[in-house]
Amino acid sequence: MTSRTQAVVTTLADAGVTHVVGVPDNTSAPLFDALSRDTVPRLVVTTREGEAFALASGLWLGGASPFVLVQNTGFLESGDGLRGTATRMGAALPFIVTARGYAKMLALGLGPDTPRTPELLTRPDVDSVALMTEPTLKAWGIPYRICAADGDPVAAIARVLEVARALQHPSALLLLAELA
Amino acid sequence: MLTRAQLLEPLAAVRTDEVVVTTMSITRPWGRLSSHDLDFASADSAMGHAADLALGIALARPDRMVVYLNGDGSMLMTLGTLATAVGSGVTNYLLVVVENGSYEITGHQPIPGHGSLDFAALARGAGFPHVFRFDEPGVWARALPDLLRTPGPTFVQAVVEPTSEGPISRRPTEQSRYLQVSLADWARVFRKALGADPQRPA
């Protein structure tokens, strides 16, 4: 485990996070690996991202303090699982969305505000999930912050925990930085 | 085949401090029998994800049995939950699939695979250590007290007659207490009953 991964685990534990729930991707894999060895927070791996949000909402209902960790691809399929549980309940649910396709999108001079035309969305050099991630967060009423590739994920995670708890609402960190 | 009353009345009779989560067409019938603060209606539509919500409650509170009354259509939407439940190591989770073969609240359209689909076999395949199928009311009523005490997770396929429950709403005129307020308001009632400080998110 790298020092950064350890710092993330420590930040979550010190903030009282009891469970990390989600589906791994290449960015989050080091954290999943680390949590599979630690007992606090407890890791719960789900089969889909919508499942992760609903399960975490149940944890919150039961008095636990969950944290969700998903990739933006799976986040796009989680809409009603998030809306019909955490959002409707007013659950303090912080989560990370890792950002597949962002590096390519930014390198091409594209961004979330670029018009999502049929031509753009079918281009082979564009990963369309990056174009859709922030518009989806906005459409679903989820406040979010971005941790850039050269940013500090530990500080950003601490902040998203504070925001979710202050708002009593799901709150996201769009993570471009590595966790290892 | 059980009637809705034959399924729910034995549970209402033996239930003490267990959490009971409902969804879809079972929501109103259970709410007419019970007004416990530890009832929770996941009735704001989450495309089958109430099974995950109930599992989360169980993982947060291993000291409480969590009974989840699922629909068969809802179960099909989130079959992965069966694997997640077993993989989570949960022991206080009783998942009851109320099998009527149809999407009842939208007018009884048949669910995919009805007639050939075997929910109990799916649960066994996912690794549930205790799997039961009930279609006779007396057998269900006699088995229920043990099901609530036995460490699980436990899966029950309950074959029931279709009824005519319409779409679920939340409004003061609903007969079921847990449908008379918003989901957010009932979440506060529920968390308080479980001893989760409503002033603190965690």
Side-chain angles (χ1 to χ4, degrees):
Chain A
M1 189 186 325
T2 66
S3 58
R4 176 177 278 188
T5 308
Q6 181 59 61
V8 171
V9 173
T10 301
T11 297
L12 294 171
D14 288 350
V17 171
T18 57
H19 298 76
V20 173
V21 187
V23 181
D25 72 345
N26 289 330
T27 300
S28 63
L31 187 53
F32 276 83
D33 291 342
L35 290 168
S36 69
R37 291 188 288 269
D38 287 332
T39 56
V40 178
R42 180 178 171 187
L43 178 65
V44 183
V45 180
T46 60
T47 65
R48 293 303 301 256
E49 289 74 4
E51 188 185 314
F53 283 107
L55 195 155
S57 298
L59 285 163
W60 176 83
L61 270 177
S65 180
F67 190 95
V68 170
L69 183 51
V70 297
Q71 191 188 54
N72 50 352
T73 46
F75 177 68
L76 294 185
E77 80 87 30
S78 67
D80 212 47
L82 175 58
R83 183 209 59 80
T85 59
T87 301
R88 290 287 285 171
M89 291 191 303
L93 185 56
F95 62 97
I96 284 177
V97 179
T98 58
R100 197 188 87 172
Y102 257 69
K104 187 185 291 184
M105 176 179 75
L106 298 174
L108 290 168
L110 303 171
D113 296 327
T114 305
R116 294 177 294 283
T117 63
E119 180 190 17
L120 179 63
L121 294 175
T122 55
R123 269 173 51 180
D125 59 332
V126 172
D127 189 337
S128 59
V129 68
L131 293 165
M132 296 178 178
T133 301
E134 289 180 67
T136 301
L137 284 161
K138 291 175 183 173
W140 293 355
I142 306 295
Y144 68 96
R145 301 169 66 85
I146 298 174
C147 179
D150 59 353
D152 176 2
V154 177
I157 288 169
R159 180 64 184 146
V160 77
L161 283 159
E162 292 173 2
V163 171
R165 291 172 177 179
L167 295 177
Q168 293 285 286
H169 189 75
S171 181
L173 173 65
L174 185 57
L175 183 67
L176 281 64
E178 296 294 325
L179 286 173
Chain B
M1 190 173 289
L2 285 73
T3 65
R4 210 58 60 101
Q6 288 167 339
L7 174 75
L8 299 180
E9 286 176 358
L11 177 59
V14 300
R15 184 264 190 99
T16 55
D17 63 352
E18 294 87 357
V19 169
V20 177
V21 179
T22 63
T23 195
M24 306 309 279
S25 65
I26 213 71
T27 303
R28 282 198 183 100
W30 178 253
R32 289 193 285 267
L33 285 173
S34 174
S35 63
H36 202 296
D37 284 358
L38 290 178
D39 294 331
F40 194 88
S42 183
D44 294 52
S45 180
M47 299 311 291
H49 285 300
D52 313 312
L53 181 113
L55 174 59
I57 297 170
L59 290 171
R61 295 302 302 263
D63 57 319
R64 301 267 182 165
M65 180 60 76
V66 175
V67 181
Y68 174 47
L69 300 169
N70 203 4
D72 48 4
S74 295
M75 188 74 256
L76 281 179
M77 294 179 186
T78 55
L79 286 175
T81 301
L82 298 175
T84 302
V86 173
S88 73
V90 70
T91 59
N92 54 323
Y93 187 47
L94 173 56
L95 170 53
V96 180
V97 170
V98 182
E99 183 182 21
N100 61 10
S102 67
Y103 296 112
E104 183 168 316
I105 66 170
T106 56
H108 291 293
Q109 298 81 16
I111 62 167
H114 177 54
S116 58
L117 189 64
D118 185 340
F119 283 99
L122 290 171
R124 283 190 199 95
F128 270 69
H130 309 297
V131 178
F132 303 90
R133 181 181 185 276
F134 294 103
D135 58 7
E136 200 280 309
V139 177
W140 158 250
R142 286 191 295 275
L144 187 54
D146 280 345
L147 296 179
L148 295 176
R149 286 194 296 267
T150 303
T154 299
F155 183 94
V156 166
Q157 176 184 0
V159 184
V160 302
E161 295 176 357
T163 56
S164 298
E165 293 292 338
I168 310 299
S169 64
R170 290 187 176 276
R171 53 189 172 191
T173 54
E174 280 281 350
Q175 188 177 352
S176 304
R177 179 170 162 250
Y178 61 10
L179 291 178
Q180 293 171 353
V181 297
S182 71
L183 188 64
D185 284 343
W186 191 261
R188 282 187 275 274
V189 171
F190 182 88
R191 280 168 55 89
K192 184 177 180 183
L194 267 184
D197 184 347
Q199 301 304 312
R200 295 187 60 207

